[in-house]
Amino acid sequence: VIRACQKLGVRTVAVYSDADKEALHVQMADEAFHIGPPPVAQSYLNMDKITEVALEAGAQAIHPGYGLLAENAAFARRCQEKGLVFIGPKPEPMEAMGFKVKARQIMQAADVPIVPGNVEGIQDLEKAKELAQGIGYPVMVKASAGGGGIGMQIAHNEKELEQAFKMCEARAKAYFGDPSLYLEKYIEEPRHIEIQVLADNGGYTIHLNERECSVQRRHQKVIEEAPSTFVDPDLRQKMGAAAVRAAQAIGYNNAGTVEFLVDPEKNFYFLEMNTRIQVEHPVTEMTTGVDLVEWQLRIASGEPLTLKQEEIGINGHAIECRIYAEDPDKNFMPSPGKITRWQVPELEGFRADMGVYEGYTVSPYYDPLLAKFITWGETRDQAIGRMIQALESTVVDGIRTNISFHIAALKSKLFREGRTTTNFIDQLKKEE
Ligand code: MV4
């Protein structure tokens, strides 16, 4: 975000908690303000403090990044009230996508395929049993107010449905303060394929093709790529058009992503919309040549989107590996600590978006993402080859990282053949 601002001549103000005094974003910004102690409730989620600092610094706009307040409609509204531009969508489209059964209803009306199931929140087990009969087992029980895999469970029969219902109900109540649930047909061996969209404040909307993000661990993405080996031009056109309809149906503006599940027969189903820029956006930038964060800033400042759908092509192939401070020998437990050596090569077709440096101490407070390695190649094989070279010539001491996992994954027959379904990590273990 700071680099995109620098490119446009926009001055930047960072905010930081006690845990981030030495963080790279604090060093890179023109100014930095301390906003509180490490727990996010008292710092990065403190809306009053953040807007106060923004006004004090004379900022015109706030970029929320990709976590924390990025999809918080109340924060977007608060910014509006204070005369600050929230760099993201308006509060209304954010709210429309935040409530899953509501989103399913809107998508159905907009002719965007949804996973077969019901579109009303249910709170009654008998009603759920009746609906499951109609959908056909196995079914997925999900929280109406949920998302991202929290409070979600599979049921193969009525007995399992009873347990799943109770479990999901309790979780939904605890996490979202709303116990209502809905059912979906369980899609076997799905892929997670998402479409990037850009929309200006006048509602002009385009898509920038797909990203394949099926390689995940505990609902955390690990490897992403563009284009997907599974998507042919016909499917791309259909999914792209559906994503644009989805965005337009809710009056979306700025950058966003429409997530789909794709089954082995290439049927695709709307899952949810991420109303923010995502961690994996660089693979789209590398294959389309479009700077997405730059467009976020331009759109937020009121500029019309001047890109045309027919100008958006796919140049080559890009892969992103998320480098986490995790210990592969301890079930990928976070591995915080001081980085005593951090050597990342410079290579052709290799981009490293990093949040750390040699001598930096990774705190235990936040998500342990250290860096994103992105490679581009004329072909997928070239992008993979460059990534393996980048990973093998990187040296990190002092903490453990998941680099060895990435190397094994990229060298596997499964990955080489593009067989990257959501079961990839389990299948990789079997192959070894
Ligand atoms: C599903 C599914 C199968 N069938 N829904 C996981 C996160 C959340 N956004 C939705 N998820 C899933 N929903 C139906 N009807 C399988 C998953 C799923 C998954 C999806 C994408 C990427 C990785 C995943 C890992 C496990 C389960």
Side-chain angles (χ1 to χ4, degrees), residues 115 140 142 147-149 152 184-187 190 192 213-214 216 219 259 261 271-272 422:
V115 185
M140 279 295 245
K142 298 187 176 185
M152 189 181 92
E184 281 182 357
K185 176 86 193 149
Y186 177 69
I187 308 295
H192 171 126
C213 309
S214 301
Q216 306 193 5
H219 301 304
E259 293 184 355
L261 281 183
L271 205 51
E272 44 194 82
T422 50

Side-chain angles (χ1 to χ4, degrees), residues 168-235:
C168 291
E169 193 173 42
R171 293 233 175 108
K173 207 169 160 185
Y175 279 99
F176 310 113
D178 176 354
S180 95
L181 305 173
Y182 67 100
L183 301 183
E184 281 182 357
K185 176 86 193 149
Y186 177 69
I187 308 295
E188 317 250 4
E189 280 192 59
R191 287 172 181 254
H192 171 126
I193 300 177
E194 57 187 31
I195 304 280
Q196 175 71 52
V197 297
L198 274 179
D200 66 20
N201 294 347
Y204 171 68
T205 310
I206 62 166
H207 75 84
L208 294 99
N209 306 316
E210 81 280 6
R211 290 186 288 262
E212 159 80 61
C213 309
S214 301
V215 180
Q216 306 193 5
R217 174 180 291 111
R218 302 179 215 122
H219 301 304
Q220 179 88 271
K221 292 170 188 159
V222 188
I223 305 175
E224 303 100 339
E225 60 181 307
S228 166
T229 57
F230 197 62
V231 176
D232 56 54
D234 178 57
L235 182 59

Side-chain angles (χ1 to χ4, degrees), residues 19 51 76 163 228 258 348 378-379 414:
T51 51
Q163 292 167 351
S228 166
V258 183
E348 196 183 337
E378 276 163 42
T379 61
L414 274 176

Side-chain angles (χ1 to χ4, degrees), residues 14 36 38 92 169 199 215 218 319 329 340 356 372 404:
E92 296 78 14
E169 193 173 42
V215 180
R218 302 179 215 122
I319 299 178
D329 297 327
T340 53
V356 300
K372 306 187 286 184
S404 59

Side-chain angles (χ1 to χ4, degrees), residues 64 131 169 176 247 289 298 329 337 340 350 362 367 396 403:
L131 285 166
E169 193 173 42
F176 310 113
R298 288 188 183 283
D329 297 327
T340 53
F350 172 55
V362 179
D367 188 282
V396 182
I403 287 176

